[in-house]
Amino acid sequence: MAKKLFKGNEALGEAAVLGGCRFFFGYPITPQTELSEYLSWRLYDVGGTFIQSESEVSAINMVYGAAGAGARALTSSSSPGISLKQEGISYIACAELPCVIVNMMRSGPGLGGIMPSQADYSQATKGGGHGDYRMLVYGPSTIQEAVDIMYNAFDKAEQYRIPVMILGDGMLGQLMEPVEFPPLKQMPDPSTKEWATTGTHYGKDRRIVNSLYIVASENEAVNIKLQAKYDLLRKNEVMCEEYMCEDADIIITAYGTVARICKSAVKALREKGIKTGLIRPITLFPFPTEVFHKYANSDKTKKFVTIELSTGQYNEDVLLSVMGKKPVEFYCRMGGSVMTVEEIVNKVKEVY
Amino acid sequence: MATYHKSNMLTDTPLSFCPGCTHGIAHKLIAEVLQELGQQGNVIGVAPVGCSVFAYKFFNCDMQEAAHGRAPAVATGIKRVHPDKVVFSYQGDGDLASIGLAEIMHAGLRGENITVVFINNAIYGMTGGQMAPTSLIGQKTTTSPFGRTVERQGNPIRMCEMLASQDGPAYLERVMLTDYANVLKAKRAIKKAFEYQIAGKGFSMVECLSTCPTNWHMTPVQACQHIKDNMTKIYPLGVFKDVGGAK
Ligand SMILES: Cc1ncc(C[n+]2csc(CCOP(=O)(O)OP(=O)(O)O)c2C)c(N)n1
Ligand code: SF4
């Protein structure tokens, strides 16, 4: 299929439709608004429904209702809006409903700014709302990768009955790149969702979407079940790119759009004779811990350098994975400022 | 001889409400109406957070339990997926008129084709008797121990009137669950609300003035009298919106 030039946000909308999304609930916020604008007409081509809700709180609860009723429902927002959705995401996680949430991160805290940031990393990967839960979190670095992830996101969400988050930033959302779209997906038979409230059940067949467990032992059993699911994710769903790591003395690590800048830095550093590689997690939860283990335990690797657009949120996972076996250097920018290739090159040269 | 049968739209789980609480009556009326309308196997309900949080255990249909105040948003999501099913939410006054005010207003403004049964007992029952947005001026609660005043806590909220001032809602009525005659009226109102939904007329809500003997510190009889003597002065009974047309 021929490639088409697409803006990141719109490409994600198209990929959602192709991947089976038929319901979108959202509230406008920069820098993701084009995603909802796109779906406000595109969903009607495929018999879907688009609602601009009164708030992000409503949007996520509409997703809860629609997902619980068996539909493939999407919501998208940016940082402050995602904060508002946290209670609902926690309910969705506990009720084991599948859905997809896009966060095109902007800088914070507070109202912050609309420029690229990765400062919602911990919120996304450690749960975000109240209670012990996780989402399956992807951090794509190109529009093509975002499209491919979105295309399969509902399948993953339904396979594990979990919320899936696609974590991008304003750069990914606003960028235009040529992308190749996969074909419209054949939807799985919705009647196979034996938990969905479709309205036809009564008596002992009744279906209940719920997250209330008053008895402590029952609530603990729910938590144990959820944790088992997250262990399955750790086992089966890790995605990570290892770029020129084999012979590298220095391994840079970054995710999302920042990793693209790092890739250019790797090339520039190699031209200067510094053997550098890049570990780029594609899933942020589950984290590619074992990839880090491999290089932390290798005699070849001298040092890691973490690069991120937040103040060490991502680096905490890197440190946990390197387990003190090698030094981990750190460089970040904040508040919507983005590092240049040169800044990364200089940082690596400084610690080399 | 006519014998009384529990509605087949209620499960066998014993209701969890306090003695003399009219939440139970509202449950029974909804169940009876849905049965009379032949809707068994065609209903999805949404339970709130409040004393009726366990509504998902009591109604004999598919149910979703919503976050506090968000039942109209959840019901919207469900109804858009299953437009041919009867979808209702059941909500208290803290849930609907305080934390969930935006959700109920916008569901009404969208003319969302759902039915809302709104239990106005002028108090937060579940959390132990705190002030509700509907608490009366002068009412003593655990968070308005000297009695609610306009200066300190502001004014009670009238949901039927507020929704009626907007386009969108198809049917709005306020009833009270105090005595046989009024319970019958309430049942007629609930039936009409569901009939409007089935006819595709859009948003319908029945506000039920309801007792909380436990947190009002009254006997059930005193509580019913309190509704008649005091609550109806602030919350007059009647039909506030009726686009008409259903039988
Ligand atoms: C977000 C959130 N805030 C607060 C609560 C605590 N809470 C539970 S029930 C309730 C009040 C319910 O009162 P109402 O809606 O009037 O129902 P009633 O119990 O009187 O039937 C509150 C504040 C909660 N569960 N969730
Ligand atoms: S606390 Fe009040 S509203 Fe709740 S069940 Fe008891 S009487 Fe009813």
Side-chain angles (χ1 to χ4, degrees):
Chain A
M1 209 193 256
K3 288 193 174 186
K4 289 182 187 159
L5 192 63
F6 250 75
K7 201 175 211 186
N9 283 328
E10 296 182 342
L12 271 168
E14 179 61 23
V17 169
L18 297 174
C21 171
R22 292 296 176 272
F23 291 84
F24 178 90
F25 309 100
Y27 188 85
I29 184 169
T30 311
Q32 66 71 53
T33 302
E34 296 86 355
L35 205 170
S36 38
E37 285 173 340
Y38 185 83
L39 288 176
S40 71
W41 61 267
R42 180 67 174 102
L43 271 172
Y44 288 94
D45 287 352
V46 289
T49 296
F50 171 94
I51 297 183
Q52 180 170 319
S53 58
E54 55 273 25
S55 70
E56 288 87 350
V57 177
S58 276
I60 195 69
N61 285 286
M62 289 174 184
V63 168
Y64 177 95
R72 291 191 158 190
L74 171 73
T75 186
S76 76
S77 189
S78 178
S79 310
I82 295 290
S83 292
L84 278 180
K85 288 184 195 196
Q86 292 302 334
E87 183 197 27
I89 299 174
S90 170
Y91 273 64
I92 286 169
C94 185
E96 299 191 85
L97 299 179
C99 70
V100 180
I101 302 155
V102 174
N103 180 4
M104 287 299 176
M105 290 180 282
R106 51 190 259 176
S107 62
L111 194 50
I114 59 171
M115 300 303 278
S117 165
Q118 296 182 318
D120 301 348
Y121 178 88
S122 297
Q123 183 198 54
T125 57
K126 313 299 176 199
H130 58 286
D132 266 322
Y133 73 90
R134 301 295 176 109
M135 297 180 286
L136 173 53
V137 185
Y138 294 98
S141 78
T142 65
I143 298 180
Q144 185 67 59
E145 189 172 63
V147 162
D148 296 340
I149 286 168
M150 175 61 96
Y151 185 63
N152 293 318
F154 283 99
D155 298 333
K156 293 289 175 199
E158 287 176 2
Q159 181 185 344
Y160 294 97
R161 290 179 58 188
I162 40 159
V164 170
M165 178 170 275
I166 298 177
L167 196 61
D169 57 44
M171 227 181 320
L172 188 74
Q174 299 298 323
L175 201 72
M176 286 187 93
E177 280 183 321
V179 274
E180 196 176 319
F181 287 104
L184 189 70
K185 194 168 270 189
Q186 282 302 108
M187 293 271 266
D189 178 4
S191 67
T192 56
K193 292 179 179 171
E194 71 289 342
W195 43 266
T197 61
T198 54
T200 49
H201 314 93
Y202 55 89
K204 59 179 173 15
D205 298 328
R206 244 153 47 79
R207 294 173 177 181
I208 296 171
V209 170
N210 177 39
S211 67
L212 176 66
Y213 300 92
I214 286 287
V215 181
S217 58
E218 284 176 19
N219 201 8
E220 187 170 44
V222 169
N223 272 276
I224 289 169
K225 185 176 172 208
L226 290 179
Q227 292 305 318
K229 174 153 58 182
Y230 306 145
D231 283 341
L232 265 186
L233 292 180
R234 288 184 182 99
K235 198 165 143 240
N236 298 330
E237 296 302 331
V238 173
M239 286 169 70
C240 182
E241 184 191 9
E242 296 162 49
Y243 178 73
M244 295 192 169
C245 289
E246 281 304 310
D247 66 341
D249 295 319
I250 301 266
I251 293 183
I252 297 177
T253 180
Y255 71 95
T257 48
V258 176
R260 295 173 72 160
I261 308 170
C262 292
K263 234 181 216 180
S264 303
V266 167
K267 288 178 201 150
L269 283 157
R270 281 188 174 260
E271 273 165 27
K272 292 185 204 312
I274 301 178
K275 283 188 184 158
T276 315
L278 171 71
I279 297 179
R280 179 176 75 85
I282 300 168
T283 52
L284 304 176
F285 182 87
F287 195 76
T289 307
E290 277 167 22
V291 176
F292 284 92
H293 280 183
K294 185 171 72 185
Y295 292 103
N297 287 322
S298 141
D299 294 336
K300 187 80 194 115
T301 315
K302 304 281 180 302
K303 263 184 187 172
F304 292 86
V305 181
T306 305
I307 309 285
E308 62 179 287
L309 294 180
S310 48
T311 57
Q313 296 184 29
Y314 170 66
N315 196 35
E316 281 180 15
D317 278 342
V318 174
L319 289 168
L320 279 172
S321 303
V322 173
M323 296 188 306
K325 293 201 167 142
K326 294 282 154 66
V328 179
E329 304 287 345
F330 177 71
Y331 185 73
C332 77
R333 295 294 301 268
M334 290 163 274
S337 300
V338 180
M339 62 280 290
T340 60
V341 175
E342 206 176 14
E343 281 173 71
I344 299 169
V345 167
N346 289 341
K347 177 70 193 179
V348 171
K349 276 171 40 189
E350 173 197 318
V351 302
Y352 182 56
Chain B
M1 194 176 75
T3 47
Y4 176 80
H5 292 283
K6 182 169 74 68
S7 164
N8 67 16
M9 285 299 297
L10 283 176
T11 64
D12 290 332
T13 310
L15 297 181
S16 52
F17 304 111
C18 305
C21 174
T22 48
H23 261 304
I25 294 176
H27 274 53
K28 171 184 130 106
L29 296 183
I30 294 168
E32 286 179 356
V33 161
L34 289 170
Q35 179 175 0
E36 286 165 21
L37 293 172
Q39 295 301 316
Q40 198 182 39
N42 200 47
V43 185
I44 307 164
V46 183
V49 174
C51 280
S52 45
V53 69
F54 288 126
Y56 63 84
K57 294 188 179 184
F58 307 138
F59 288 110
N60 188 12
C61 56
D62 285 346
M63 292 290 296
Q64 294 199 27
E65 206 290 307
H68 196 23
R70 317 304 170 204
V74 173
T76 297
I78 297 170
K79 186 73 182 187
R80 296 298 181 109
V81 177
H82 298 295
D84 55 331
K85 296 289 179 289
V86 170
V87 177
F88 75 94
S89 79
Y90 184 103
Q91 301 176 254
D93 44 48
D95 194 84
L96 180 142
S98 190
I99 195 167
L101 188 56
E103 281 75 8
I104 192 69
M105 282 307 294
H106 285 273
L109 288 162
R110 286 192 303 269
E112 212 61 63
N113 194 26
I114 58 172
T115 300
V116 178
V117 177
F118 166 34
I119 304 298
N120 180 357
N121 60 12
I123 200 137
Y124 283 17
M126 188 190 212
T127 39
Q130 296 77 28
M131 191 187 76
T134 42
S135 293
L136 305 183
I137 296 301
Q139 187 174 338
K140 285 186 182 168
T141 70
T142 62
T143 50
S144 58
F146 313 111
R148 181 177 189 166
T149 64
V150 173
E151 295 72 29
R152 276 204 209 95
Q153 290 100 350
N155 290 285
I157 187 168
R158 296 185 186 89
M159 287 307 305
C160 276
E161 288 84 339
M162 198 152 95
L163 278 159
S165 70
Q166 305 299 316
D167 296 333
Y171 182 66
L172 302 165
E173 183 167 354
R174 185 181 289 125
V175 296
M176 59 181 179
L177 303 174
T178 47
D179 55 87
Y180 184 66
N182 277 292
V183 167
L184 274 188
K185 274 190 203 159
K187 183 170 173 179
R188 277 199 292 275
I190 291 171
K191 191 165 195 172
K192 196 162 179 181
F194 278 113
E195 280 169 349
Y196 273 40
Q197 181 184 161
I198 292 163
K201 290 186 180 299
F203 184 87
S204 55
M205 183 179 88
V206 179
E207 174 175 343
C208 305
L209 301 185
S210 191
T211 61
C212 178
T214 302
N215 289 302
W216 291 356
H217 307 292
M218 293 179 190
T219 65
V221 173
Q222 287 169 338
C224 288
Q225 201 58 45
H226 171 71
I227 291 180
K228 290 181 181 169
D229 293 347
N230 303 314
M231 276 183 80
T232 51
K233 290 204 183 102
I234 306 299
Y235 304 112
L237 307 184
V239 175
F240 291 85
K241 184 81 165 267
D242 186 353
V243 295
K247 66 176 164 69

